[in-house]
Amino acid sequence: MASRTAPHEQHHDSAPPNGLAGEPAAGGHDRGERKAPSKLAFSNDNPPASEDEYDDESPRPPASTDLGFEAVTPGIDPRSYLAKRTTTTSGAPSVSYFSRNDVTIPSRTGLRDPLSRQTTLPYKMERRESLSEIRAANPDLSLSGNIISATFSAPHSFTYRTGGQWDLKSRRGQSALIDSFAYLSSDATPWNHTVVAWTGEVDHPSDAPLSPPETPPTTTVGASSLNPLSAPVPVDATSKPAPVQSEGLWVPKKDQERLEYELRHDKSMPTIPVWLSDEAESTPEGITLTDQTRWRRYAEHDLYTLFHYKQHEPSDGRKERVQWADYYRMNQMFANKIIEFYKPGDIVVVHDYYLMLLPSMLRQRAPGMYISFFLHSPFPSSEFLRCLPRRKEVLQGVLGSNLIGFQSYSYSRHFLSCCTRILGFPSDTLGIDAYGARVQVGVFPIGIDAAKVESFAWNDTVTEKYNTLKSMYEGKKIIVGRDRLDSVRGVAQKLQAFERFLELYPEWREKVVLIQVTTPTLVEAEKGDPQKKVSSRVNELVMKINGQYGSLGFSPVQHYPQYLSQDEYFALLRAGDIGLITSVRDGMNTTSLEYIVCQKDGHGPLILSEFSGTAGSLGDALHINPWDVSGVAEKINLALTMSDDKRMAMQGSLYSHVTSHNMQSWISKFIRKVYTVLGDSNNAIATPLCDRALMLSRYRDAKKRLFMFDYDGTLTPIVQEPSAAIPSERIIKSLRLLADDPRNLVWIISGRDQEFLKQHLGHISAMGFSAEHGSFMKNPHSDEWENLAEKLDMGWQQEVIDVFQNYTDRVQGSFIERKRCALTWHYRRADPELGEAMSRECHKELMEGVGTRWEVEVMAGKANLEVRPTFINKGEIAKRLVKTYHNPGAPADGPDAGPIEFALCMGDDFTDEDMFRSLNALSGPVLDADHVFTVTVGASTKVTLARWHLLEPEDVIESVALLAGTDDIQQVSEVNLAALSSVEGRVPGALH
């Protein structure tokens, strides 16, 4: 089958940059295969395989390539996690399930594509649905055939060396996810597939350049003097010179392009890297990579911990503000990179909590984009998510998707509950209504490549190690455990349960051994004190159990704080009589799935925590609550005494599930659900979240700006008593700052009467007002109100008053508001159900009566009904203002000269739709459409003409304050700080 070209690949030259002549990346092998890696993980002879490589709860940070990480157990040298390369007896590198080729991209011509040297067993080429069949079944979608997978870290970690040389190594973790990328890129699917991912922290040896060429040194310490007279003056011997501050890793542009070319043209998994840096650090000459771990800090410190039901101690919030700004900018840079090569009809799949803002950012840039999101980690209940300060922004970010996938039903239920309780969005078990569109939610438990696991688990080397283990523990039952040493894996709970088991069932003493392997955590928030506490507790329990129930010749707990090689890992899983997983909170722990595959002959029972993401799909396993140590002890005894027939039946059911619901099945079902949801959506497009960074950028570039704000529900929240809707000091200050700028034209266009507007905002003389939906106008710096409806016949008002009074008498708590040109019946303080019912009845009566005899509109608002003249509305005011102020051909020294280069219109009610309609009509013929921001505020079910949305008046106030520069940099909100940092290309220095 012919190989396909990666999306947008035709836009690049076929030759590598800087004259590099690349050979065909496929290397002549079939696209459905990946060649065997050249390095293996043997504990004594091979590079180790990380625990994370087969634990797919969520993407993890890259593994350390040096000895700079801490040992997980006190007294354990980090070198015990490292090992040497091994080869087979024939001298060839061994095939590895977890690792890929560790390769180098040289800085010379004649390159071969290094990433194409990855193979595994060929994917089973069953009859697949063709792209033409998919398009025929979904004719309205115009599918391009391209899938873009956005994931935080690239499949490889990179080391940059002097001379433009790149070393690529397999990144620890995400094996099932990376396998799914390779599967989508193969000929086993009809799709063209491209991965978009951050390079990760680019490592560099000591000989790599740390700053751009000719950068002056930051200190003269250690430099030789030019002559004896200029030698340094001796100082006190106890004084220490200031250390040399590294400015980061400097990568020339040509070396960036060389790596990009190789990754982009890898036929087995085309990848487009995202380079993350401040704007000033990226130049035409190259890029300086500084403090690279900052891009993951918010996700791992705040989101990872909270999603696993953990919480940090409160702080002053300074660090969190900067971390949120970096998280926002990182998602922005991903969005910018995807937009560079996105084509209409592409399907974008966003993976995990690192990129939770990305769906909304993509929706802002391409409203019609097909976007899905899959969360690989748990999702907490609403009561816990409420503790996250940026909870609203995270939820809104994900809701830019058409489809959101979770590992288990409980996670999806929690997400739906959060959208309703925190955002106020209506939801059901299948999805959420969000800004004029439907966001579907589904459950898609991830799987493993079971055939590949089985092939590697039964090779000769593994069988040899399996036989050794069995002989070592002959006559004893083996319980196996393999976990990261962090607070969510439940290693301490496992040891406590095992101790309780030995206490309750003394007949099993010296007949059962627990082999527990622990590996160091790689999550930023779990390092340091939390890790030391867990490791100390684990060591205490191991020593206690072995001291109490062991002997000189036998220890019931064999604790190995080290990485296992692939062969040792599979041998251990095969040798186990029980697999014991006691996670206290987990995503999709694939160790349980691999244990089942490895037990196809042994039929060892699986004891699985009910808090693991696999618990929902592995219903035949023995489920336990890891906090109930006695209950776990009972299940251990049950598993050990289970009859052969029952064990075989349990294993047969689990094995059938794991081999049928594999990795290929998971990603295929998810993609199929994406285009099915899109086909059922009736082309409804959600109104994207207002892009504050884009709005601020456009505002700063404009020389003449027009603002039009509604009042109730926009600048102030809706309240029970209309007279209580008083503007805050912050919005008054922000409006005054905007109005005092001579480049700005600020108008309040409200349904309120003149007296109310004058009382609360009239002191801002530079601001213009329109009252009663356009019936009256007052220009800036003027005290005169112009009555635009004075020539209209108002004879209809008495008839409307009579109708309104009838319903006021029938609905307790309702009242009539009389304006000069409009009448409004309010029922905010009435019983909601009665008020709604009577409103519909009143509306019908008015339409059939007054509406047929007079030129009036009967409008249903938020808990009110209003009647006004047909020819008076906010849209007419918007058109009048644009006509007055937009004068591109007027003399420069004339009044109101120059074009309007920025227009912002915000409103929450249906009456504001008239403004949006007018501005939409003017966008293009009169105003630059990219410089017009129409923003609706409020309910998620709203179908609107506005191009953008904000959730509530608080967001409007924040947006206005951002444009006006109301807040000092130390007081600016986290959301505004993120937008400001995005526009300026860095976090303001005052915050560091």
Side-chain angles (χ1 to χ4, degrees), residues 40-61:
L40 257 183
F42 288 96
S43 60
N44 296 321
D45 302 313
N46 299 1
S50 166
E51 177 265 346
D52 280 285
E53 291 196 48
Y54 28 82
D55 188 329
D56 277 55
E57 173 194 318
S58 54
R60 291 286 169 259

PDB file of all heavy atoms in Angstrom, residues 40-61:
ATOM      1  N   LEU A  40      17.713  -1.593  24.804  1.00  0.00           N
ATOM      2  CA  LEU A  40      16.805  -2.310  25.670  1.00  0.00           C
ATOM      3  C   LEU A  40      16.967  -1.866  27.101  1.00  0.00           C
ATOM      4  O   LEU A  40      17.909  -1.195  27.463  1.00  0.00           O
ATOM      5  CB  LEU A  40      17.106  -3.806  25.572  1.00  0.00           C
ATOM      6  CG  LEU A  40      16.136  -4.636  24.726  1.00  0.00           C
ATOM      7  CD1 LEU A  40      16.552  -6.084  24.804  1.00  0.00           C
ATOM      8  CD2 LEU A  40      14.723  -4.469  25.220  1.00  0.00           C
ATOM      9  N   ALA A  41      16.049  -2.296  27.924  1.00  0.00           N
ATOM     10  CA  ALA A  41      16.087  -1.945  29.329  1.00  0.00           C
ATOM     11  C   ALA A  41      16.323  -3.183  30.168  1.00  0.00           C
ATOM     12  O   ALA A  41      15.398  -3.891  30.504  1.00  0.00           O
ATOM     13  CB  ALA A  41      14.782  -1.263  29.726  1.00  0.00           C
ATOM     14  N   PHE A  42      17.567  -3.515  30.466  1.00  0.00           N
ATOM     15  CA  PHE A  42      17.909  -4.583  31.398  1.00  0.00           C
ATOM     16  C   PHE A  42      18.465  -3.940  32.650  1.00  0.00           C
ATOM     17  O   PHE A  42      19.238  -2.985  32.583  1.00  0.00           O
ATOM     18  CB  PHE A  42      18.971  -5.525  30.804  1.00  0.00           C
ATOM     19  CG  PHE A  42      18.452  -6.407  29.716  1.00  0.00           C
ATOM     20  CD1 PHE A  42      18.604  -6.043  28.387  1.00  0.00           C
ATOM     21  CD2 PHE A  42      17.782  -7.578  30.018  1.00  0.00           C
ATOM     22  CE1 PHE A  42      18.128  -6.859  27.372  1.00  0.00           C
ATOM     23  CE2 PHE A  42      17.307  -8.392  29.007  1.00  0.00           C
ATOM     24  CZ  PHE A  42      17.475  -8.038  27.685  1.00  0.00           C
ATOM     25  N   SER A  43      18.087  -4.450  33.788  1.00  0.00           N
ATOM     26  CA  SER A  43      18.486  -3.793  35.031  1.00  0.00           C
ATOM     27  C   SER A  43      19.995  -3.751  35.216  1.00  0.00           C
ATOM     28  O   SER A  43      20.516  -2.839  35.824  1.00  0.00           O
ATOM     29  CB  SER A  43      17.843  -4.507  36.222  1.00  0.00           C
ATOM     30  OG  SER A  43      18.257  -5.855  36.266  1.00  0.00           O
ATOM     31  N   ASN A  44      20.712  -4.750  34.697  1.00  0.00           N
ATOM     32  CA  ASN A  44      22.151  -4.764  34.890  1.00  0.00           C
ATOM     33  C   ASN A  44      22.929  -4.416  33.634  1.00  0.00           C
ATOM     34  O   ASN A  44      24.028  -3.905  33.707  1.00  0.00           O
ATOM     35  CB  ASN A  44      22.603  -6.144  35.391  1.00  0.00           C
ATOM     36  CG  ASN A  44      22.023  -6.458  36.761  1.00  0.00           C
ATOM     37  OD1 ASN A  44      21.953  -5.569  37.597  1.00  0.00           O
ATOM     38  ND2 ASN A  44      21.610  -7.707  36.976  1.00  0.00           N
ATOM     39  N   ASP A  45      22.341  -4.723  32.491  1.00  0.00           N
ATOM     40  CA  ASP A  45      23.090  -4.556  31.255  1.00  0.00           C
ATOM     41  C   ASP A  45      22.467  -3.565  30.295  1.00  0.00           C
ATOM     42  O   ASP A  45      23.098  -3.159  29.339  1.00  0.00           O
ATOM     43  CB  ASP A  45      23.227  -5.902  30.537  1.00  0.00           C
ATOM     44  CG  ASP A  45      23.911  -6.933  31.412  1.00  0.00           C
ATOM     45  OD1 ASP A  45      24.936  -6.581  32.003  1.00  0.00           O
ATOM     46  OD2 ASP A  45      23.413  -8.062  31.490  1.00  0.00           O
ATOM     47  N   ASN A  46      21.215  -3.204  30.483  1.00  0.00           N
ATOM     48  CA  ASN A  46      20.505  -2.392  29.506  1.00  0.00           C
ATOM     49  C   ASN A  46      20.027  -1.081  30.100  1.00  0.00           C
ATOM     50  O   ASN A  46      19.838  -0.977  31.294  1.00  0.00           O
ATOM     51  CB  ASN A  46      19.250  -3.129  29.008  1.00  0.00           C
ATOM     52  CG  ASN A  46      19.605  -4.414  28.332  1.00  0.00           C
ATOM     53  OD1 ASN A  46      20.770  -4.753  28.248  1.00  0.00           O
ATOM     54  ND2 ASN A  46      18.609  -5.119  27.860  1.00  0.00           N
ATOM     55  N   PRO A  47      19.753  -0.074  29.239  1.00  0.00           N
ATOM     56  CA  PRO A  47      19.082   1.119  29.737  1.00  0.00           C
ATOM     57  C   PRO A  47      17.723   0.728  30.280  1.00  0.00           C
ATOM     58  O   PRO A  47      17.018  -0.086  29.693  1.00  0.00           O
ATOM     59  CB  PRO A  47      18.951   1.996  28.474  1.00  0.00           C
ATOM     60  CG  PRO A  47      19.994   1.481  27.554  1.00  0.00           C
ATOM     61  CD  PRO A  47      20.112   0.027  27.836  1.00  0.00           C
ATOM     62  N   PRO A  48      17.318   1.271  31.437  1.00  0.00           N
ATOM     63  CA  PRO A  48      16.098   0.825  32.093  1.00  0.00           C
ATOM     64  C   PRO A  48      14.846   1.311  31.403  1.00  0.00           C
ATOM     65  O   PRO A  48      14.834   2.347  30.785  1.00  0.00           O
ATOM     66  CB  PRO A  48      16.210   1.434  33.491  1.00  0.00           C
ATOM     67  CG  PRO A  48      17.031   2.661  33.267  1.00  0.00           C
ATOM     68  CD  PRO A  48      18.009   2.313  32.178  1.00  0.00           C
ATOM     69  N   ALA A  49      13.785   0.549  31.551  1.00  0.00           N
ATOM     70  CA  ALA A  49      12.473   0.962  31.061  1.00  0.00           C
ATOM     71  C   ALA A  49      11.721   1.586  32.219  1.00  0.00           C
ATOM     72  O   ALA A  49      11.549   0.970  33.249  1.00  0.00           O
ATOM     73  CB  ALA A  49      11.699  -0.240  30.515  1.00  0.00           C
ATOM     74  N   SER A  50      11.297   2.813  32.056  1.00  0.00           N
ATOM     75  CA  SER A  50      10.598   3.511  33.127  1.00  0.00           C
ATOM     76  C   SER A  50       9.247   2.894  33.390  1.00  0.00           C
ATOM     77  O   SER A  50       8.562   2.430  32.502  1.00  0.00           O
ATOM     78  CB  SER A  50      10.409   4.972  32.749  1.00  0.00           C
ATOM     79  OG  SER A  50       9.475   5.578  33.598  1.00  0.00           O
ATOM     80  N   GLU A  51       8.837   2.940  34.640  1.00  0.00           N
ATOM     81  CA  GLU A  51       7.489   2.503  35.009  1.00  0.00           C
ATOM     82  C   GLU A  51       6.451   3.267  34.216  1.00  0.00           C
ATOM     83  O   GLU A  51       5.415   2.739  33.851  1.00  0.00           O
ATOM     84  CB  GLU A  51       7.300   2.730  36.514  1.00  0.00           C
ATOM     85  CG  GLU A  51       5.935   2.392  37.050  1.00  0.00           C
ATOM     86  CD  GLU A  51       5.064   3.608  37.108  1.00  0.00           C
ATOM     87  OE1 GLU A  51       5.585   4.704  36.985  1.00  0.00           O
ATOM     88  OE2 GLU A  51       3.860   3.440  37.267  1.00  0.00           O
ATOM     89  N   ASP A  52       6.744   4.513  33.922  1.00  0.00           N
ATOM     90  CA  ASP A  52       5.770   5.326  33.205  1.00  0.00           C
ATOM     91  C   ASP A  52       5.602   4.891  31.761  1.00  0.00           C
ATOM     92  O   ASP A  52       4.640   5.267  31.116  1.00  0.00           O
ATOM     93  CB  ASP A  52       6.195   6.791  33.228  1.00  0.00           C
ATOM     94  CG  ASP A  52       5.839   7.431  34.546  1.00  0.00           C
ATOM     95  OD1 ASP A  52       4.654   7.717  34.771  1.00  0.00           O
ATOM     96  OD2 ASP A  52       6.763   7.598  35.335  1.00  0.00           O
ATOM     97  N   GLU A  53       6.536   4.117  31.254  1.00  0.00           N
ATOM     98  CA  GLU A  53       6.438   3.727  29.860  1.00  0.00           C
ATOM     99  C   GLU A  53       5.269   2.789  29.621  1.00  0.00           C
ATOM    100  O   GLU A  53       4.780   2.662  28.515  1.00  0.00           O
ATOM    101  CB  GLU A  53       7.730   3.059  29.404  1.00  0.00           C
ATOM    102  CG  GLU A  53       8.867   4.043  29.331  1.00  0.00           C
ATOM    103  CD  GLU A  53      10.006   3.485  28.531  1.00  0.00           C
ATOM    104  OE1 GLU A  53       9.781   2.976  27.440  1.00  0.00           O
ATOM    105  OE2 GLU A  53      11.117   3.562  29.021  1.00  0.00           O
ATOM    106  N   TYR A  54       4.818   2.131  30.675  1.00  0.00           N
ATOM    107  CA  TYR A  54       3.666   1.269  30.473  1.00  0.00           C
ATOM    108  C   TYR A  54       2.553   1.645  31.425  1.00  0.00           C
ATOM    109  O   TYR A  54       1.703   0.856  31.752  1.00  0.00           O
ATOM    110  CB  TYR A  54       4.027  -0.212  30.649  1.00  0.00           C
ATOM    111  CG  TYR A  54       5.176  -0.482  31.565  1.00  0.00           C
ATOM    112  CD1 TYR A  54       4.985  -0.528  32.928  1.00  0.00           C
ATOM    113  CD2 TYR A  54       6.449  -0.683  31.051  1.00  0.00           C
ATOM    114  CE1 TYR A  54       6.050  -0.782  33.770  1.00  0.00           C
ATOM    115  CE2 TYR A  54       7.513  -0.934  31.893  1.00  0.00           C
ATOM    116  CZ  TYR A  54       7.309  -0.984  33.254  1.00  0.00           C
ATOM    117  OH  TYR A  54       8.349  -1.221  34.078  1.00  0.00           O
ATOM    118  N   ASP A  55       2.590   2.858  31.922  1.00  0.00           N
ATOM    119  CA  ASP A  55       1.525   3.375  32.778  1.00  0.00           C
ATOM    120  C   ASP A  55       0.990   4.620  32.126  1.00  0.00           C
ATOM    121  O   ASP A  55       1.627   5.656  32.140  1.00  0.00           O
ATOM    122  CB  ASP A  55       2.093   3.690  34.162  1.00  0.00           C
ATOM    123  CG  ASP A  55       0.994   4.036  35.134  1.00  0.00           C
ATOM    124  OD1 ASP A  55      -0.006   4.592  34.684  1.00  0.00           O
ATOM    125  OD2 ASP A  55       1.155   3.745  36.326  1.00  0.00           O
ATOM    126  N   ASP A  56      -0.165   4.529  31.536  1.00  0.00           N
ATOM    127  CA  ASP A  56      -0.652   5.604  30.682  1.00  0.00           C
ATOM    128  C   ASP A  56      -1.660   6.504  31.349  1.00  0.00           C
ATOM    129  O   ASP A  56      -2.589   6.990  30.734  1.00  0.00           O
ATOM    130  CB  ASP A  56      -1.277   5.026  29.397  1.00  0.00           C
ATOM    131  CG  ASP A  56      -0.218   4.742  28.384  1.00  0.00           C
ATOM    132  OD1 ASP A  56       0.712   4.012  28.736  1.00  0.00           O
ATOM    133  OD2 ASP A  56      -0.326   5.250  27.263  1.00  0.00           O
ATOM    134  N   GLU A  57      -1.510   6.714  32.659  1.00  0.00           N
ATOM    135  CA  GLU A  57      -2.486   7.571  33.304  1.00  0.00           C
ATOM    136  C   GLU A  57      -2.538   8.923  32.626  1.00  0.00           C
ATOM    137  O   GLU A  57      -3.579   9.482  32.394  1.00  0.00           O
ATOM    138  CB  GLU A  57      -2.119   7.758  34.770  1.00  0.00           C
ATOM    139  CG  GLU A  57      -3.010   8.790  35.435  1.00  0.00           C
ATOM    140  CD  GLU A  57      -2.431   9.212  36.754  1.00  0.00           C
ATOM    141  OE1 GLU A  57      -1.955   8.361  37.491  1.00  0.00           O
ATOM    142  OE2 GLU A  57      -2.462  10.405  37.042  1.00  0.00           O
ATOM    143  N   SER A  58      -1.398   9.473  32.304  1.00  0.00           N
ATOM    144  CA  SER A  58      -1.349  10.776  31.653  1.00  0.00           C
ATOM    145  C   SER A  58       0.081  11.027  31.238  1.00  0.00           C
ATOM    146  O   SER A  58       1.002  10.387  31.728  1.00  0.00           O
ATOM    147  CB  SER A  58      -1.811  11.876  32.615  1.00  0.00           C
ATOM    148  OG  SER A  58      -1.086  11.827  33.807  1.00  0.00           O
ATOM    149  N   PRO A  59       0.286  11.980  30.302  1.00  0.00           N
ATOM    150  CA  PRO A  59       1.657  12.280  29.894  1.00  0.00           C
ATOM    151  C   PRO A  59       2.499  12.706  31.076  1.00  0.00           C
ATOM    152  O   PRO A  59       2.024  13.382  31.975  1.00  0.00           O
ATOM    153  CB  PRO A  59       1.474  13.417  28.885  1.00  0.00           C
ATOM    154  CG  PRO A  59       0.108  13.216  28.351  1.00  0.00           C
ATOM    155  CD  PRO A  59      -0.692  12.694  29.512  1.00  0.00           C
ATOM    156  N   ARG A  60       3.742  12.336  31.034  1.00  0.00           N
ATOM    157  CA  ARG A  60       4.644  12.645  32.134  1.00  0.00           C
ATOM    158  C   ARG A  60       5.846  13.427  31.640  1.00  0.00           C
ATOM    159  O   ARG A  60       6.184  13.386  30.469  1.00  0.00           O
ATOM    160  CB  ARG A  60       5.122  11.329  32.777  1.00  0.00           C
ATOM    161  CG  ARG A  60       3.986  10.618  33.509  1.00  0.00           C
ATOM    162  CD  ARG A  60       3.679  11.363  34.806  1.00  0.00           C
ATOM    163  NE  ARG A  60       2.461  10.864  35.371  1.00  0.00           N
ATOM    164  CZ  ARG A  60       1.309  11.503  35.251  1.00  0.00           C
ATOM    165  NH1 ARG A  60       1.224  12.618  34.590  1.00  0.00           N
ATOM    166  NH2 ARG A  60       0.216  11.010  35.812  1.00  0.00           N
ATOM    167  N   PRO A  61       6.541  14.098  32.551  1.00  0.00           N
ATOM    168  CA  PRO A  61       7.749  14.823  32.159  1.00  0.00           C
ATOM    169  C   PRO A  61       8.797  13.869  31.624  1.00  0.00           C
ATOM    170  O   PRO A  61       8.769  12.676  31.917  1.00  0.00           O
ATOM    171  CB  PRO A  61       8.215  15.464  33.472  1.00  0.00           C
ATOM    172  CG  PRO A  61       7.013  15.462  34.353  1.00  0.00           C
ATOM    173  CD  PRO A  61       6.213  14.265  33.954  1.00  0.00           C
TER     174      PRO A  61
END
